[in-house]
Amino acid sequence: MTSELPEMRASDAERERVAERLRDAVAEGRLDMAEFQERLDLAYQARTYGELVPLVRDLPEMVAPAGAVEDGGWRARIGRPATSKGAFAFWSGFGRRGKWCVARDFTAVVLQGGGDIDLREADFEDREIVIRCFAVMGGIQVVVPPDLHVEVTGFGFMGGFDDRGAGGGTPGSPRVRVTGFALMGGVDVRRKERKAARKQLRK
């Protein structure tokens, strides 16, 4: 990004490019979460180049690996019709795995049961996704790929809401926020490689 015309109006695409650099920086440990959130808010509020440039001046330029797809392949997976808007389990379990499309607002509830939400092969109805998890005397596991942007804001009461899977994604990645609560139960958000990537590593 150039600062030669600091008063020129910034576009939505330019604000998003800065946001992607900030997400990469927090994922790499260059920024802590407080710095990241502060800069991200300023990026989306910026009106000119001059307001955007200082937010990434101390960060390295993003360099894509040779042969990499510019958006990481995300473009083809965003904007599809949702195939599931929620899940419920009572003394039982549910699973959302494989090739499915998560709604922009997805709600999962378990009562003395269990649930699995796997986003590794999923498509996304929108670029911004909210997954609400409510676990009462039960558990929900949310599995996300390493290149997905994930925020975790849920809490537990006499239970746990694990945020180990939170972190930045690659350029073009959807933003997924996992929220809700666990009462005498647990919600676990963790990152796992896609099956194809694991097979490749084994080879």
Side-chain angles (χ1 to χ4, degrees):
M1 176 176 295
T2 179
S3 58
E4 294 175 0
L5 299 172
E7 300 306 316
M8 182 174 286
R9 290 280 177 165
S11 69
D12 287 341
E14 287 152 351
R15 280 185 281 268
E16 190 58 39
R17 279 198 293 272
V18 169
E20 293 296 346
R21 286 179 67 184
L22 294 174
R23 290 176 194 129
D24 281 353
V26 74
E28 294 165 357
R30 300 180 192 276
L31 297 175
D32 61 32
M33 285 304 298
E35 291 174 308
F36 165 69
Q37 194 59 58
E38 180 182 1
R39 294 194 193 194
L40 188 65
D41 290 343
L42 291 172
Y44 284 122
Q45 294 167 13
R47 292 175 297 174
T48 66
Y49 279 142
E51 293 172 283
L52 286 174
V53 170
L55 302 178
V56 293
R57 182 174 288 141
D58 58 348
L59 300 176
E61 292 284 346
M62 292 187 300
V63 179
V69 178
E70 184 180 350
D71 69 350
W74 288 114
R75 186 176 305 173
R77 298 174 58 186
I78 298 172
R80 304 216 171 223
T83 58
S84 182
K85 296 184 177 181
F88 176 79
F90 176 54
W91 286 5
S92 60
F94 72 79
R96 297 290 184 274
R97 310 180 189 91
K99 200 65 177 173
W100 65 292
C101 186
V102 58
R104 61 175 57 89
D105 288 297
F106 183 93
T107 301
V109 180
V110 297
L111 302 174
Q112 299 184 49
D116 292 311
I117 302 170
D118 193 333
L119 301 181
R120 289 177 294 176
E121 307 297 334
D123 292 330
F124 301 84
E125 184 180 22
D126 204 345
R127 186 171 293 278
E128 303 280 340
I129 299 291
V130 178
I131 297 177
R132 296 178 175 87
C133 296
F134 303 98
V136 179
M137 299 178 68
I140 298 175
Q141 179 172 264
V142 182
V143 179
V144 301
D147 53 349
L148 183 67
H149 181 88
V150 181
E151 300 170 8
V152 181
T153 59
F155 66 95
F157 179 70
M158 298 178 67
F161 211 109
D162 197 324
D163 64 353
R164 284 177 295 176
T170 56
S173 160
R175 294 168 56 84
V176 175
R177 182 163 63 93
V178 182
T179 187
F181 71 87
L183 174 64
M184 300 176 69
V187 176
D188 181 25
V189 183
R190 63 177 58 193
R191 292 181 182 263
K192 289 184 181 179
E193 290 284 356
R194 295 181 178 86
K195 293 179 181 178
R198 293 210 310 261
K199 288 179 181 177
Q200 189 64 33
L201 287 173
R202 283 198 294 267
K203 289 180 180 178

